[in-house]
């Protein structure tokens, strides 16, 4: 029979204990990341699409770029001269390139809930094989959500959804609404201060599904954050706060969640990284998002 | 991935059998990854904080060298 002895800490002197603790501390907390040079193969160039149709009456836009290798350190290359149309089955909207790689609908239109919108991108040869490619996507607009009210409250020691931000003073937007029990709902949230979009990148949008509150009243859940240590998010008395609530599809919820997860970076417990899902055909990356927007405003009071 | 290699060393000191003692013990001193190579556990790609267009590769390694002392006894 073979047994290992566990030596109780009481049998060590203080000096020995300090040495052991110091050794363990050094092993456990010593830096374990390091920058390295890696040779990676070039990948096939693919089309990157950023496209949305919302319930706003506006000229909607599509941005087309080429994907690049991992260590390419320039601006993404825009894709020119594409033919882009969006149709709801009855009306077809044509898009024009107004800036390099930026296409705008010729006329303003508002997406209607219940309609399915189909995006078509043609006349592009992104992989440079001499054959023109066609990219298609479609998505149905959901009805917008009914918001009862929003409230503001201050937390001097708030832990943000954004893991890059430390605890700090935040103004928070609390939401009061009732989720529909009959439908599976997916929410997106972003805020404006005096009509200037604060959460203006996809990584700042909060997305949520109703799994844990299906059919329930939200009772003031925090859905908007204003970090009072960020210059563009500092609130003043009488600022007009607008909460935008997006009725998004399950596919778009997955896309944004996966993108945000990848943006947060990997840690020891992450699974292997994978490609983010897309609803665009022919191997393109990106998403054609179709959603309706509900706006709720409140006047901010500092006290 | 960079090459993955390491050297582990171990030394076992067996005690002499003493008359009248019905058990015997041995000390084991070992050193895992003796030359402290930082073998990558995984490699991740990150944007540079100052210039988001620049990507960097970063390796995460678990341990360099890990010493251990064990005492075994048989009876």
């Amino acid at each position: 029979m073979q047994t290992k002895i566990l030596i109780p800490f009481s049998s060590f002197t203080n000096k020995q204990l300090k040495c052991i603790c110091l050794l363990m501390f050094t092993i456990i907390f010593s830096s374990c990341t390091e920058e390295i040079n890696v040779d990676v193969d070039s990948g096939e160039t693919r089309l990157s699409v950023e496209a949305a149709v919302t319930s706003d009456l506006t000229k909607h836009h599509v941005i087309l770029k080429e994907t690049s290798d991992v260590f390419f350190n320039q601006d993404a290359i825009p894709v020119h001269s594409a033919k882009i149309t969006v149709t709801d089955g009855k009306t077809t909207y044509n898009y024009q390139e107004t800036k390099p790689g930026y296409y705008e609908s010729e006329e303003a239109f508002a997406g209607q809930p219940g309609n399915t919108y189909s995006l078509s991108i043609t006349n592009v040869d992104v992989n440079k094989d001499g054959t023109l490619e066609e990219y298609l996507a479609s998505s149905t607009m959901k009805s917008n959500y009914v918001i009862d009210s929003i409230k503001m409250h201050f937390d001097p020691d708030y832990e943000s959804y954004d893991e890059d931000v430390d605890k700090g003073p935040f103004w928070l937007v609390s939401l009061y609404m009732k989720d529909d029990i009959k439908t599976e709902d997916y929410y997106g949230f972003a805020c404006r201060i005096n009509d200037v979009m604060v959460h203006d990148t996809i990584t700042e949008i909060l997305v949520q599904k109703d799994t844990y509150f299906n059919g329930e009243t939200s009772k003031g859940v925090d859905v908007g954050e204003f970090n009072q240590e960020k210059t563009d998010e500092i609130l003043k008395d009488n600022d007009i706060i607008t909460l935008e609530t997006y009725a998004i599809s399950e596919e778009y919820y997955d896309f944004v969640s996966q993108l945000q997860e990848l943006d947060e970076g990997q840690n020891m417990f992450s699974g292997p990284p994978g490609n983010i899902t897309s609803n665009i055909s022919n191997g393109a990356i990106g998403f054609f998002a179709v959603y309706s927007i509900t706006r709720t405003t409140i006047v901010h009071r500092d006290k | 991935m960079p090459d993955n290699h390491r050297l582990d060393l171990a030394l076992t000191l067996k005690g002499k059998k003493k008359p009248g003692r019905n058990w015997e013990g041995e000390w084991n001193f070992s050193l895992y990854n003796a030359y402290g190579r930082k073998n990558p556990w995984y490699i991740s790609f990150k944007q540079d904080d100052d210039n988001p267009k620049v990507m960097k590769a970063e390796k995460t390694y678990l341990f360099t060298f890990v010493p251990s002392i064990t005492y075994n006894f048989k009876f």
Side-chain angles (χ1 to χ4, degrees):
Chain A
M1 188 177 173
Q2 188 166 337
T3 315
K4 284 187 181 178
I5 292 177
L6 287 174
I7 304 166
F9 273 102
S10 55
S11 62
F12 291 109
T13 64
N14 269 348
K15 203 174 173 185
Q16 285 172 324
L17 264 178
K18 270 183 194 168
C19 283
I20 291 168
C21 288
L22 193 70
L23 187 68
M24 287 174 72
F25 186 85
T26 313
I27 291 170
I28 295 168
F29 293 101
S30 58
S31 165
C32 55
T33 55
E34 201 174 271
E35 261 179 46
I36 54 166
N37 292 321
V38 183
D39 280 334
V40 286
D41 297 333
S42 286
E44 188 192 4
T45 304
R46 290 158 69 184
L47 181 68
S48 155
V49 181
E50 189 183 326
V53 168
T54 70
S55 55
D56 284 348
L57 178 61
T58 183
K59 286 187 173 180
H60 296 289
H61 68 263
V62 174
I63 300 171
L64 300 184
K65 292 172 188 166
E66 288 182 7
T67 59
S68 55
D69 291 339
V70 176
F71 295 113
F72 182 76
N73 58 6
Q74 310 291 317
D75 281 327
I77 298 164
V79 175
H80 299 291
S81 310
K83 268 190 181 170
I84 300 180
T85 58
V86 167
T87 177
D88 60 5
K90 292 175 194 155
T91 316
T92 299
Y93 304 97
N94 293 308
Y95 283 58
Q96 288 291 332
E97 189 173 5
T98 54
K99 285 182 275 183
Y102 186 97
Y103 300 79
E104 221 172 45
S105 61
E106 286 175 345
E107 53 188 299
F109 67 97
Q112 299 297 319
N115 282 1
T116 297
Y117 292 87
S118 301
L119 168 75
S120 161
I121 302 167
T122 53
N123 201 44
V124 288
D125 181 16
V126 176
N127 58 11
K128 315 278 190 299
D129 67 349
T131 312
L132 293 175
E133 297 130 25
E134 182 181 32
Y135 299 89
L136 302 168
S138 71
S139 186
T140 303
M141 185 173 283
K142 289 185 162 191
S143 295
N144 61 342
Y145 297 129
V146 179
I147 308 295
D148 292 335
S149 64
I150 55 171
K151 279 183 186 168
M152 301 290 293
H153 72 100
F154 184 70
D155 188 338
D157 202 19
Y158 179 73
E159 206 168 323
S160 169
Y161 291 114
D162 184 352
E163 289 182 358
D164 290 339
V165 179
D166 290 333
K167 274 185 181 181
F170 277 74
W171 276 100
L172 302 161
V173 183
S174 305
L175 173 73
Y176 294 83
M177 67 169 292
K178 191 169 169 55
D179 178 72
D180 189 343
I181 196 164
K182 287 182 235 146
T183 52
E184 203 169 80
D185 298 308
Y186 296 86
Y187 296 84
F189 299 101
C191 297
R192 290 172 182 268
I193 302 174
N194 299 324
D195 220 25
V196 175
M197 186 57 100
V198 175
H199 305 132
D200 55 355
T201 61
I202 199 163
T203 50
E204 290 180 305
I205 292 171
L206 173 69
V207 288
Q208 193 58 263
K209 57 180 168 182
D210 68 356
T211 311
Y212 300 112
F213 55 91
N214 190 23
E216 301 289 328
T217 307
S218 69
K219 295 174 188 165
V221 64
D222 295 328
V223 293
E225 304 176 339
F226 298 104
N227 184 350
Q228 297 310 287
E229 287 172 350
K230 266 190 184 175
T231 46
D232 63 333
E233 294 187 18
I234 294 171
L235 296 185
K236 298 182 296 294
D237 211 22
N238 290 326
D239 275 347
I240 295 167
I241 309 299
T242 306
L243 173 72
E244 292 192 348
T245 306
Y246 309 129
I248 59 176
S249 64
E250 182 180 0
E251 291 75 24
Y252 191 49
Y253 168 83
D254 289 340
F255 172 79
V256 178
S257 311
Q258 289 170 18
L259 199 148
Q260 291 181 345
E261 198 179 316
L262 214 65
D263 181 67
E264 280 168 15
Q266 285 206 286
N267 61 51
M268 276 176 65
F269 306 106
S270 306
N275 290 332
I276 298 170
T277 53
S278 169
N279 66 344
I280 301 160
S281 68
N282 211 3
I285 65 161
F287 209 88
F288 174 48
V290 174
Y291 54 89
S292 53
I293 306 174
T294 309
R295 291 192 176 82
T296 321
T297 57
I298 192 170
V299 178
H300 174 67
R301 300 281 178 227
D302 252 350
K303 287 169 189 171
Chain B
M1 286 282 276
D3 293 339
N4 193 311
H5 54 84
R6 65 167 208 268
L7 174 71
D8 299 341
L9 298 172
L11 176 70
T12 304
L13 297 177
K14 290 191 175 181
K16 285 179 185 165
K17 259 196 167 179
K18 287 180 183 169
R21 201 165 73 172
N22 58 354
W23 57 276
E24 54 185 276
E26 63 183 38
W27 284 97
N28 179 277
F29 302 89
S30 72
L31 187 59
Y32 169 92
N33 195 4
Y35 51 82
R37 181 171 167 83
K38 295 164 182 174
N39 285 313
W41 179 251
Y42 67 85
I43 294 171
S44 57
F45 296 91
K46 290 185 173 164
Q47 286 176 312
D48 186 82
D49 288 337
D50 301 322
N51 182 2
K53 287 178 206 161
V54 174
M55 291 295 286
K56 288 176 176 177
E58 196 177 74
K59 76 170 171 187
T60 297
Y61 54 91
L62 289 182
F63 306 111
T64 51
F65 61 91
V66 181
S68 77
I69 304 170
T70 312
Y71 183 70
N72 298 316
F73 68 96
K74 293 174 191 169
F75 58 91

